[in-house]
Amino acid sequence: RAWLGNPDIALLDEPTNFLDLEKVLVLERWMRESAGDTPMIIVSHDRRFLDNVTDSTLFVRPLRSRFISQPYSRAIELLEAEDRAEENRRERDTKQLDRLRKSAHQLRQIGINKHSDTALKRSAQLDRKIEALADALPRAIREQPREIQLSNSGTHAKVVLEFQQFKLRTPDGQLLLGIDELRVWQGERVVILGRNGAGKTRLIQAIHAALQDREARAQLGIRIPPSISCGYVDHAMQVL
């Protein structure tokens, strides 16, 4: 709908949200091949998507934002190199400031103890130089942490989920998908990919039902150790 308006600029805020992988690839093709010279500003957490459709990156920061004429992955490498260089410069300048402060302090002591106007004058000159250097000192960049720590309840089970002759069917009995044998081991991360309607959500719902109901496990062909506890977030995020 936004594109049908023949825009002079396109603002895309998380355009891949709620798209399956197939539709994301369609969007990428459209942006690369059909959008022509229309400028776009895109906000996204999908780094691969950004690499595929952008040629410049704006890093928004509290003190000083940075614009780099490269896609995300290359731009973040350049930004991190800049940050390291600034941090090294900051360390060098801080050491130089410490040396100058010691020199100014010594000259001040000489001027006071030996009544030397020359030493006091040089001390004052150093103080002005120190103040100028301190003002020019690059501020340390501290990105706020965005980590989410997940912990489990401490189960000793090596296999936390097992499928044996698992069949997933639609409400009217049609077969959606089958899994002959599959084990999910403790520490593994599993992503489920498939078109809309392929049965991804129903698969998660079936696993959740099996976790809640021992009889459902046997009927579905799912085995779960009794020590396993479950965290579940659905599409509507009702638990949040």
Side-chain angles (χ1 to χ4, degrees), residues 18 23 58 81 91 95 109 132 135 169 198 202 222 231:
F18 309 110
K23 298 303 187 296
L58 174 65
E91 289 179 5
K95 290 177 181 177
Q109 293 297 104
D135 289 341
R169 299 183 182 277
R202 287 188 63 81
I222 297 176

Side-chain angles (χ1 to χ4, degrees), residues 207-224:
I207 296 170
H208 185 238
L211 280 158
Q212 304 300 314
D213 186 345
R214 189 180 297 272
E215 291 184 6
R217 298 178 199 177
Q219 294 174 358
L220 289 167
I222 297 176
R223 297 178 183 176
I224 300 168

Side-chain angles (χ1 to χ4, degrees), residues 151-201:
S151 60
N152 59 37
S153 57
T155 178
H156 296 292
K158 292 183 178 179
V159 177
V160 296
L161 179 64
E162 184 176 359
F163 296 91
Q164 290 284 349
Q165 300 303 315
F166 171 81
K167 305 292 183 186
L168 185 66
R169 299 183 182 277
T170 62
D172 62 358
Q174 296 183 43
L175 182 66
L176 263 178
L177 60 90
I179 302 174
D180 291 336
E181 186 175 2
L182 174 67
R183 293 179 179 86
V184 178
W185 300 82
Q186 185 170 167
E188 284 191 311
R189 307 287 189 269
V190 181
V191 61
I192 303 171
L193 296 177
R195 296 182 178 186
N196 286 338
K200 302 186 298 296
T201 297

Side-chain angles (χ1 to χ4, degrees), residues 222-234:
I222 297 176
R223 297 178 183 176
I224 300 168
S227 61
I228 296 298
S229 62
C230 172
Y232 176 61
V233 179
D234 63 3

Side-chain angles (χ1 to χ4, degrees), residues 110-130:
I110 292 171
I112 293 170
N113 295 332
K114 296 189 176 182
H115 306 288
S116 171
D117 291 338
T118 302
L120 288 173
K121 187 180 292 185
R122 288 180 61 193
S123 173
Q125 289 172 345
L126 272 181
D127 285 338
R128 288 192 292 272
K129 185 176 181 179
I130 290 166

